[in-house]
Amino acid sequence: VSRGTALFRDAFGWYNATGSEPDPSDLHVMLDCNTADGTSTVLDVRSHPDYLGGEIGFFLVTPQSSSSDQCASGDCCATVDRATSGEGHIYYSESRFNPDHSGSDSYIHLLIYDSVVWPQKFYFAWEDIYGGSNDDFTDFVTSVSGVECAGGGVSCDTELDGVCQYGVTQCQGETLECLQLYESESERCDGLDNDC
């Protein structure tokens, strides 16, 4: 969506969420440091040869020097290889793996917003400075469509009557809710309780 006014040319991608810190070989870049604002890319994760099944996470890689808020070696293009060799940092959607995660003093690098217009679309707003900065979360903003949070997309019972009882779980903020699939309508001669 936007790189804001950030100095760094960060990269963004996905990884298999296994419960452990991702191995650098499992960090799959979708938007590299040269990707322009507004660029779209398509990932069919289920067909990706490195997808292990199950949940995935997202990451941001920066080229920040370990000794300042500037680009490491004067190069502002982030890559996973540079970050793993000490020229940058990697921040994860699973914040416990972030390099500046330290209990109650942890820095937050990612805010995730549900789209109120498009179903199954989320906005990821990143802060890319190690140890915090201006906390405007505009350093790198992406949107991801077609994903569902853990536990989403499962059949559920809304506890309503008739056809209104059929639902599917969907994330609403940080909670999982059962959203009904069918609205109440006039009765028809089809053997269903249409008016619930």
Side-chain angles (χ1 to χ4, degrees), residues 38-178:
T39 300
S40 294
T41 185
V42 175
L43 168 68
D44 180 359
V45 72
R46 289 190 175 123
S47 298
H48 197 285
D50 294 320
Y51 177 56
L52 301 177
E55 297 180 18
I56 64 170
F58 295 94
F59 71 92
L60 183 78
V61 58
T62 77
Q64 182 183 357
S65 167
S66 59
S67 60
S68 73
D69 289 349
Q70 300 301 308
C71 301
S73 303
D75 182 356
C76 292
C77 181
T79 67
V80 172
D81 288 342
R82 286 188 65 208
T84 56
S85 68
E87 290 194 343
H89 300 286
I90 302 171
Y91 303 109
Y92 303 94
S93 54
E94 296 176 280
S95 62
R96 68 184 180 272
F97 302 131
N98 289 343
D100 53 0
H101 178 81
S102 55
S104 61
D105 294 326
S106 295
Y107 288 93
I108 296 172
H109 289 278
L110 173 63
L111 298 177
I112 302 174
Y113 300 96
D114 290 345
S115 172
V116 296
V117 176
W118 306 105
Q120 295 181 319
K121 183 173 188 172
F122 301 89
Y123 290 92
F124 292 18
W126 296 89
E127 183 63 42
D128 67 357
I129 299 289
Y130 178 89
S133 178
N134 60 7
D135 297 327
D136 61 5
F137 292 90
T138 61
D139 296 335
F140 196 85
V141 180
T142 60
S143 66
V144 178
S145 313
V147 295
E148 184 65 68
C149 65
V154 177
S155 296
C156 59
D157 186 335
T158 65
E159 298 182 11
L160 299 172
D161 293 327
V163 296
C164 297
Q165 76 180 354
Y166 301 108
V168 64
T169 55
Q170 185 175 4
C171 293
Q172 299 292 321
E174 294 181 11
T175 61
L176 205 57
E177 293 183 9
C178 184

Side-chain angles (χ1 to χ4, degrees), residues 6-38:
L7 168 67
F8 303 145
R9 292 192 337 263
D10 301 320
F12 170 80
W14 70 276
Y15 62 91
N16 290 287
T18 63
S20 300
E21 184 171 348
D23 187 272
S25 65
D26 189 33
L27 299 178
H28 309 284
V29 173
M30 296 170 58
L31 303 170
D32 68 22
C33 70
N34 295 310
T35 304
D37 286 2

